[in-house]
Amino acid sequence: MIMKFAEEGNIDDLESRVVYTGICCYCGACGGFCTEYIHYENQLPTTDEKCFELHGACFDFCPRTFLPILEMEKAVLGGVRSDKDLGYYTEIILAKATEGAVAEKGQDGGVVTALLTYLMEKGEIDAACISRSSESEAWLPEPFVATSKEDILAGAGSNYEQCPTIIGVANAIADGYENIAMVGLPCHTQAMRKIQLSDYFDVHGDKVKYVIGLFCTETFDRELFHAKLGEMGIKIEDVKKFDIGEGKFKVYTDKGETIEKISKMKACAREGCKVCYDFAAELSDVSVGSIGAETGWNTVIIRSETGKKLIDDAKAAGAIETKAIDDAAVEEVRKLASSKKTGNLKNIMASAGALKLLNLAIDPSEMDLLI
Ligand SMILES: Cc1cc2nc3c(=O)[nH]c(=O)nc-3n(C[C@H](O)[C@H](O)[C@H](O)COP(=O)(O)OP(=O)(O)OC[C@H]3O[C@@H](n4cnc5c(N)ncnc54)[C@H](O)[C@@H]3O)c2cc1C
Ligand code: SF4
Ligand code: SF4
């Protein structure tokens, strides 16, 4: 489809508008699908050779060049939001994995892992693009193409650093997998949908049949995060699990639990996360998070027909159990989404320079005085 606000650009435009301005989110879309020219150094795309394309897939797929979110939402999900904080959805529920091993490995209720293993065992997918810790560096998230239940379980749990997940999707497509599921943060789901909706480049994004999104407020910059862990007296090699909930950042090691206020972790946020305007992975088939759910459960937002069928089928097969969520819990999710969006919208506007809307000229830093 031709997106209304689509723009054309090449690698130079990508560098000047996204990389050098600090808004790259390291999703992996540009380098994943252009291995000829782009590789990553210090978690940023870079090139050694000049590419002469006027319009490149790197620019087209990047979620930070242009993102006509409402148009994309309509094209992907078939509807337009009535909820500005959570996007378009048909249902919000609570769910958890039923199998003990899955629930135990999963970060919260294990729903993501349960859905993937259900799809794999039923033969609905032949690959799941997830994230897994590197075998050489502790807790370094790497894209991973899982092709068995054991693989999927090996990637379970949350890593609060960024993973260039879309590289895994590109690898899975290049390796000939036909029915793929991907798990990603909001920025990954945005990139995935731009790839699927692109009018210029067909890289077989249609092979990705399921997009499972995770809620996300931010990811941590590796250097700042490790320095912070050092201040907390923790060695990364000793960490068994990280968790965020009830306003706290929790680190589990053999010695027990160490807690820091989540507000104190804000200083570790990646630069590119400060302009992110999506908390709930608004373009996914289903979005999964912990806020709003009691311990051992997930909050699940069902957005598309594909997502609805997946949840219904997984429930009927006994892979997950579900229950209703109450209004107060949904409000809690909305409140967190809204606070991320409001804060980051200010950063987006501040980077825009002076704005003129019809006859109204305003410096974005003074917008607060008017709205
Ligand atoms: C960086 C980050 C920030 C988050 N912030 C919030 C938040 O503010 N509020 C909230 O309610 N929930 C948040 N979540 C979601 C939450 O931590 C759980 O991922 C979610 O509840 C699903 O739980 P689960 O038990 O079903 O996951 P699991 O069954 O354990 O599956 C998790 C899946 O996520 C993949 N994954 C792990 N880390 C990453 C990563 N860095 N990038 C891409 N994929 C990854 C794993 O490979 C696995 O497939 C965040 C997750 C991440 C990774
Ligand atoms: S946001 Fe993603 S696609 Fe855009 S420059 Fe960064 S890694 Fe590449
Ligand atoms: S806040 Fe989360 S979704 Fe947004 S860019 Fe950062 S990692 Fe991606």
Side-chain angles (χ1 to χ4, degrees), residues 5 23 63-64 83 89 132 140 237-238 274 297 315:
F5 300 102
I23 63 170
R64 292 292 156 83
D83 186 326
Y89 58 82
R132 188 180 68 166
L140 178 69
E237 306 78 48
D238 296 339
K274 295 177 186 165
W297 286 77
K315 184 180 172 185

Side-chain angles (χ1 to χ4, degrees), residues 14 18-19 23-31 40 45 58 61-64:
L14 187 81
V18 179
V19 183
I23 63 170
C24 166
C25 57
Y26 189 38
C27 66
C30 53
Y40 294 92
C58 56
F61 296 167
C62 174
R64 292 292 156 83

Side-chain angles (χ1 to χ4, degrees), residues 64-75:
R64 292 292 156 83
T65 48
F66 60 94
L67 190 76
I69 187 86
L70 298 179
E71 216 183 343
M72 291 172 72
E73 175 173 87
K74 204 166 163 189

Side-chain angles (χ1 to χ4, degrees), residues 156-191:
S158 292
N159 190 320
Y160 295 105
E161 288 182 45
Q162 178 62 310
C163 174
T165 293
I166 304 295
I167 294 178
V169 175
N171 291 343
I173 293 172
D175 288 347
Y177 292 103
E178 294 290 333
N179 296 300
I180 300 167
M182 75 151 255
V183 176
L185 298 168
C187 52
H188 301 125
T189 64
Q190 292 170 353

Side-chain angles (χ1 to χ4, degrees), residues 15-16 44 60 81 87-88 94 115 121 154 182 186 192 207-208 226 229 237 250 258 271 277 304 310 328 351 365 369:
E15 286 182 335
S16 62
L44 286 174
D60 206 57
R81 68 190 61 194
Y88 177 82
L94 296 172
L115 294 176
E121 287 183 334
M182 75 151 255
M192 193 61 241
K207 293 189 174 175
V208 177
H226 287 202
L229 289 175
E237 306 78 48
K250 303 168 198 166
T258 309
E271 204 53 33
Y277 195 67
S304 66
L310 171 59
S351 69
S365 64
L369 301 173

Side-chain angles (χ1 to χ4, degrees), residues 43-253:
Q43 305 198 342
L44 286 174
T46 183
T47 50
D48 293 334
E49 248 183 278
K50 178 88 185 140
C51 157
F52 293 98
E53 291 292 341
L54 291 178
H55 182 47
C58 56
F59 185 93
D60 206 57
F61 296 167
C62 174
R64 292 292 156 83
T65 48
F66 60 94
L67 190 76
I69 187 86
L70 298 179
E71 216 183 343
M72 291 172 72
E73 175 173 87
K74 204 166 163 189
V76 172
L77 307 174
V80 172
R81 68 190 61 194
S82 55
D83 186 326
K84 69 182 170 49
D85 297 317
L86 303 182
Y88 177 82
Y89 58 82
T90 52
E91 226 176 310
I92 306 183
I93 56 167
L94 296 172
K96 68 173 181 178
T98 47
E99 191 186 324
V102 174
E104 200 180 302
K105 276 269 193 174
Q107 180 72 17
D108 297 305
V111 165
V112 173
T113 298
L115 294 176
L116 295 176
T117 50
Y118 160 73
L119 288 169
M120 182 79 65
E121 287 183 334
K122 201 173 163 224
E124 292 284 326
I125 56 168
D126 48 13
C129 297
I130 59 173
S131 166
R132 188 180 68 166
S133 281
S134 159
E135 283 167 3
S136 54
E137 267 189 72
W139 285 94
L140 178 69
E142 288 179 344
F144 180 52
V145 181
T147 56
S148 66
K149 181 175 180 179
E150 292 68 39
D151 281 355
I152 294 168
L153 281 168
S158 292
N159 190 320
Y160 295 105
E161 288 182 45
Q162 178 62 310
C163 174
T165 293
I166 304 295
I167 294 178
V169 175
N171 291 343
I173 293 172
D175 288 347
Y177 292 103
E178 294 290 333
N179 296 300
I180 300 167
M182 75 151 255
V183 176
L185 298 168
C187 52
H188 301 125
T189 64
Q190 292 170 353
M192 193 61 241
R193 295 312 192 185
K194 279 194 83 178
I195 292 163
Q196 290 177 324
L197 292 172
S198 173
D199 198 49
Y200 294 93
F201 302 94
D202 182 2
V203 294
H204 305 293
D206 56 332
K207 293 189 174 175
V208 177
K209 311 285 195 241
Y210 300 90
V211 176
I212 300 177
L214 305 172
F215 296 175
C216 180
T217 40
E218 74 237 328
T219 44
F220 298 138
D221 174 280
R222 189 161 176 85
E223 212 172 297
L224 298 175
F225 181 44
H226 287 202
K228 177 72 190 172
L229 289 175
E231 272 174 38
M232 291 165 71
I234 292 160
K235 280 198 205 132
I236 187 89
E237 306 78 48
D238 296 339
V239 177
K240 301 275 175 250
K241 180 175 177 170
F242 292 108
D243 200 11
I244 294 179
E246 297 144 354
K248 294 176 194 140
F249 174 67
K250 303 168 198 166
V251 189
Y252 299 90
T253 63

Side-chain angles (χ1 to χ4, degrees), residues 338-349:
S338 172
S339 99
K340 170 179 176 175
K341 287 188 162 206
T342 315
N344 286 358
L345 189 57
K346 283 186 188 158
N347 298 335
I348 293 170
M349 283 160 79

